[in-house]
Amino acid sequence: MSEKKQIRRKLHLKGRSFLLVLSLLSLLVGGCWDDRELNELGIVSGSAYDWEDDQWKATYQVINPSSGSSSMGGSGGGSTSSPPFLTYTVKGTTIIQAVERTNLTSTRQLFFSHSRVTVIGESLAKRGFSQLIDLFLRKPDARETVYVFITEGEAGRILDQLMQLTKNQGAGIQLMIEQEAKLTSYFPGTRMYELAMQLTSDSGSTTVPEIKLTGNRVMDRTDDTAQTDLPSRIAFGRLGVLKEDRFVGWLSQREAFGLSFMTDKIKTANISFPSIPEKSDRADASVTLLHSSTSVHPIWENDHYVMDIDIKAGGTLTEIGSELDLEKASSMRQMERSIENNILEIIDNSWHAVKKLNADVTGFAVSIHRNHPKQWKRIKQEDSWDTVFQKVEIRPHVKVKIERIGLSGRSYKSLELK
């Protein structure tokens, strides 16, 4: 091998070695362009938005890192006067401008990736909040999985309220709505991305639970929680109805329950009903529905749509106050008919309330589009869905099966009469 070739080979090997070392060094010095230390961040657990003085009013709930374990939910036995979270209220012509102004009063930069809930004031909801939805879907650290709520008064007040049994109020509210949706089925929780999808669907409407304080006073001091029964607590009230990102009205708890049946959102539910309706229409028995399914089929009849709603459910008898003999098949069928009539009445009341608001929170438009695409295309071209919706008729069919009666085949009252 010539001397020139040997020199070239050595230079080539040195060049490859240099590139390899350079690549390894780049792994050691590389990092995120926007990296921040944990002690520089204010972890936001909840946010609230109002409209005041023709600008955005935002309230942010930030986890207090200096708060130790306490009786409010910590693992230790000590107590501390430092609250588990802090709140910052700021204003701005845009939401981001309001967020930036927290830097004027806080030593930490707000970090939204761990946020659990967002509360919207009724004043803002009536004005429309598409800009807020856009921010949650656009901002990298905004969390589109937050649960959304509406409150009748000022939204910021909700975030000041302390809770017992949990220090993190945002996580506590998330647990409440998930538990409610699983156990009672009145208010299925709505996340921000679900709200955006439903408002841009064929129906153009959705529902958001109301969150409120049960008392007039905000319990915002740590010593306020050192009592067995708080005079003011966080609770869910009604169901807010949104149409095209604007609040249009409320559904009562009973009306919201009927909507859950129509939209197949019943997971577990308790129904109170009269066990012997021929004697009295007063509810004296209860059944826990453990499963329920709803199917909706649109039918065109004459000049309007009829929504054929088929509901099948089953559950366990949990309470009875009459002398019925539960071992008789006739008694069981009598109670099942009573439950079915009760559910039909709940659905009817809900449907009348929904039609009055003229907001398709039932999702009937989606069903018609799926099953009758040609007719739906004409409705969209004529922009006549609101008119068509007002003419919609529902035809619900309910079938309930009492699958278990508990530990006793006789009611206690029947034993007393012996």
Side-chain angles (χ1 to χ4, degrees):
M1 185 180 294
S2 66
E3 185 178 348
K4 287 185 178 181
K5 287 184 178 181
Q6 289 180 347
I7 293 173
R8 287 175 184 173
R9 186 179 179 186
K10 289 180 180 180
L11 290 174
H12 179 69
L13 291 173
K14 287 182 179 180
R16 290 178 62 181
S17 301
F18 175 76
L19 290 175
L20 179 60
V21 171
L22 189 63
S23 299
L24 293 174
L25 287 175
S26 66
L27 294 176
L28 298 176
V29 301
C32 297
W33 64 271
D34 63 344
D35 67 310
R36 290 164 289 180
E37 297 295 333
L38 185 60
N39 59 7
E40 297 174 351
L41 301 178
I43 307 299
V44 177
S45 59
S47 59
Y49 300 91
D50 294 285
W51 187 256
E52 187 177 283
D53 300 328
D54 200 32
Q55 58 183 334
W56 292 87
K57 181 180 179 181
T59 302
Y60 298 104
Q61 183 185 95
V62 179
I63 299 297
N64 183 3
S66 64
S67 176
S69 299
S70 74
S71 58
M72 292 171 57
S75 58
S79 63
T80 177
S81 59
S82 182
F85 56 80
L86 309 172
T87 55
Y88 296 90
T89 300
V90 284
K91 292 183 178 181
T93 54
T94 64
I95 305 170
I96 290 299
Q97 185 182 80
V99 173
E100 286 181 343
R101 287 178 177 174
T102 61
N103 296 318
L104 303 178
T105 56
S106 173
T107 59
R108 300 194 176 207
Q109 182 182 359
L110 296 188
F111 185 70
F112 295 91
S113 293
H114 295 281
S115 184
R116 307 293 187 93
V117 297
T118 291
V119 184
I120 299 170
E122 187 176 348
S123 59
L124 174 60
K126 288 180 177 178
R127 177 186 176 272
F129 55 95
S130 58
Q131 188 173 334
L132 179 65
I133 299 174
D134 181 88
L135 178 139
F136 270 91
L137 299 178
R138 186 180 303 278
K139 198 169 184 289
D141 69 333
R143 195 175 183 184
E144 70 276 9
T145 57
V146 296
Y147 283 100
V148 185
F149 300 90
I150 288 182
T151 189
E152 191 172 16
E154 184 181 341
R157 294 178 70 248
I158 301 295
L159 297 188
D160 289 330
Q161 176 77 17
L162 293 172
M163 297 179 70
Q164 292 175 315
L165 302 180
T166 179
K167 295 179 65 177
N168 187 335
Q169 189 222 54
I173 295 175
Q174 177 184 355
L175 180 61
M176 282 176 62
I177 192 63
E178 290 176 347
Q179 178 175 274
E180 190 285 326
K182 183 171 63 175
L183 299 179
T184 61
S185 302
Y186 291 130
F187 311 116
T190 302
R191 297 180 184 268
M192 184 64 75
Y193 75 90
E194 294 173 330
L195 183 146
M197 291 174 62
Q198 290 162 5
L199 289 179
T200 54
S201 69
D202 294 323
S203 294
S205 303
T206 189
T207 58
V208 175
E210 176 192 21
I211 192 168
K212 65 177 185 177
L213 299 180
T214 58
N216 295 323
R217 181 187 163 199
V218 177
M219 313 297 287
D220 57 356
R221 298 173 58 87
T222 54
D223 54 0
D224 287 336
T225 61
Q227 48 188 312
T228 56
D229 188 13
L230 294 181
S232 180
R233 292 179 180 273
I234 289 176
F236 302 136
R238 298 163 290 179
L239 191 64
V241 176
L242 303 176
K243 184 176 181 179
E244 297 175 354
D245 93 323
R246 294 176 187 269
F247 172 80
V248 295
W250 298 102
L251 295 179
S252 68
Q253 188 179 93
R254 182 179 174 85
E255 292 162 351
F257 196 30
L259 182 63
S260 292
F261 273 106
M262 287 191 284
T263 54
D264 195 24
K265 291 182 179 178
I266 297 292
K267 295 181 179 178
T268 304
N270 293 291
I271 304 287
S272 298
F273 63 96
S275 59
I276 310 178
E278 295 81 7
K279 273 191 174 183
S280 172
D281 59 357
R282 183 177 180 274
D284 64 346
S286 298
V287 65
T288 299
L289 299 181
L290 301 176
H291 59 87
S292 175
S293 63
T294 302
S295 58
V296 179
H297 305 282
I299 303 170
W300 180 260
E301 287 189 3
N302 300 324
D303 61 342
H304 67 284
Y305 273 103
V306 175
M307 308 305 290
D308 194 74
I309 305 173
D310 188 36
I311 300 171
K312 295 180 180 179
T316 302
L317 184 70
T318 52
E319 176 187 7
I320 186 168
S322 69
E323 64 277 8
L324 271 180
D325 186 353
L326 303 180
E327 294 179 347
K328 292 183 178 180
S330 59
S331 297
M332 299 296 290
R333 186 60 199 132
Q334 177 179 313
M335 288 192 295
E336 289 169 348
R337 282 197 300 267
S338 181
I339 299 168
E340 291 164 0
N341 291 332
N342 191 304
I343 295 175
L344 286 170
E345 183 182 346
I346 292 172
I347 291 174
D348 186 64
N349 291 339
S350 176
W351 173 239
H352 281 91
V354 168
K355 284 190 73 174
K356 188 175 180 180
L357 295 175
N358 198 26
D360 180 23
V361 290
T362 55
F364 288 164
V366 177
S367 182
I368 292 173
H369 187 182
R370 183 184 301 117
N371 292 277
H372 300 166
K374 291 183 179 179
Q375 291 89 329
W376 177 253
K377 185 177 180 180
R378 185 174 67 252
I379 292 171
K380 288 293 289 183
Q381 289 174 344
E382 297 173 353
D383 195 21
S384 58
W385 172 238
D386 283 349
T387 304
V388 173
F389 182 69
Q390 283 299 309
K391 295 180 181 180
V392 169
E393 175 189 347
I394 65 169
R395 192 175 292 159
H397 313 278
V398 180
K399 181 68 175 178
V400 174
K401 179 70 175 176
I402 299 178
E403 298 167 343
R404 290 182 291 276
I405 59 174
L407 300 177
S408 176
R410 303 286 296 275
S411 68
Y412 184 76
K413 190 167 187 178
S414 68
L415 299 176
E416 282 187 322
L417 295 176
K418 280 190 173 183

